[in-house]
Amino acid sequence: MRRLFQQLAQDDPQLQRDVLVLDDDTVFDCHFKERLMTLLKDHRCGSAVYSPKSAGVLLLGAAIWIDGTFPERGPYTAGWRLTDTMLGRAYASTGIQPMCFNAHSKVFGSFAVLYHPSVFPLVLAWLSAEQLPFDHVYPYLIRNNKIVRVAHPNLAIQELRHLSQIDPTRKGQHNMSTRAKIHRWLPIERYCDPLSLKPVQL
């Protein structure tokens, strides 16, 4: 990642564009193109990469591992309970099912992410200062007044049943069925293998 963002940050600012970074174990919603266009046209979700001052990052898929203890101990114990609360409040205020939510400290995953050029120097600075896994960068971007939002439901997920060339340790972390339940990737059949174009099966 360091080499990638070094190159991105060095490019002529006049030529810089949003960049979609994908891992080699990513599988996509079977109607990915249509859903992505719809997501980007949504004002709140599209602003994550189109807002000129605060644009930042739009995760097309993510992993949340825990329910958390929100609201008993506040937003610092984030997880699915905080996510559900944010989605519920958004629906209550608009009457429309939200297509994205604000990232929080328990949102992980860098397997399908759209980056606005304004975050390139920040990501590079974080990489130079930290030794944490890359998907810990999101709270840093938020602290630097960048928007970080997550597509809901996911437009992309990880297929962990093959060996990733990017991170071989991923195989065996959990079986696909377990991960799909924890991260709410179900129904899994709505995602298709990008090579065979066939729905993913558990």
Side-chain angles (χ1 to χ4, degrees):
M1 278 295 192
R2 185 190 303 273
R3 184 179 301 175
L4 170 63
F5 279 92
Q6 283 177 334
Q7 180 60 54
L8 292 172
Q10 291 171 1
D11 288 343
D12 184 341
Q14 299 299 318
L15 301 177
Q16 289 178 342
R17 297 292 184 270
D18 298 339
V19 173
L20 175 60
V21 179
L22 303 169
D23 284 0
D24 64 347
D25 56 3
T26 303
V27 293
F28 305 92
D29 185 283
C30 295
H31 304 285
F32 178 77
K33 182 179 179 180
E34 295 87 346
R35 287 204 56 213
L36 178 60
M37 293 300 101
T38 301
L39 181 71
L40 294 177
K41 289 177 182 177
D42 180 86
H43 175 72
R44 187 167 183 276
C45 304
S47 65
V49 287
Y50 291 147
S51 178
K53 292 185 178 180
S54 56
V57 171
L58 181 60
L59 283 75
L60 303 185
I64 298 176
W65 287 88
I66 63 172
D67 287 336
T69 57
F70 180 85
E72 287 83 359
R73 298 176 62 188
Y76 299 103
T77 51
W80 278 116
R81 291 174 64 180
L82 175 58
T83 303
D84 291 339
T85 298
M86 290 191 293
L87 291 169
R89 288 174 179 171
Y91 177 73
S93 66
T94 65
I96 301 172
Q97 290 291 347
M99 300 179 66
C100 63
F101 61 90
N102 291 333
H104 50 68
S105 61
K106 296 302 180 181
V107 167
F108 298 105
S110 58
F111 48 87
V113 185
L114 192 58
Y115 298 89
H116 185 271
S118 66
V119 306
F120 297 165
L122 286 172
V123 172
L124 184 57
W126 184 88
L127 285 168
S128 299
E130 297 288 348
Q131 300 298 318
L132 295 169
F134 179 71
D135 56 3
H136 287 63
V137 71
Y138 307 130
Y140 172 78
L141 296 177
I142 294 169
R143 289 195 300 272
N144 281 272
N145 302 312
K146 294 299 179 182
I147 298 172
V148 181
R149 294 199 170 113
V150 185
H152 175 75
N154 293 278
L155 271 67
I157 63 172
Q158 286 176 291
E159 168 56 274
L160 298 173
R161 290 174 291 191
H162 70 82
L163 189 64
S164 171
Q165 298 301 313
I166 295 174
D167 184 359
T169 66
R170 287 178 183 162
K171 186 175 178 63
Q173 286 181 349
H174 278 284
N175 65 46
M176 194 66 179
S177 181
T178 300
R179 289 287 296 269
K181 291 177 182 177
I182 292 173
H183 305 320
R184 300 186 185 178
W185 291 347
L186 300 172
I188 203 74
E189 295 81 10
R190 71 172 180 241
Y191 302 100
C192 286
D193 184 282
L195 298 179
S196 69
L197 302 181
K198 295 181 179 180
V200 175
Q201 302 289 331
L202 291 178

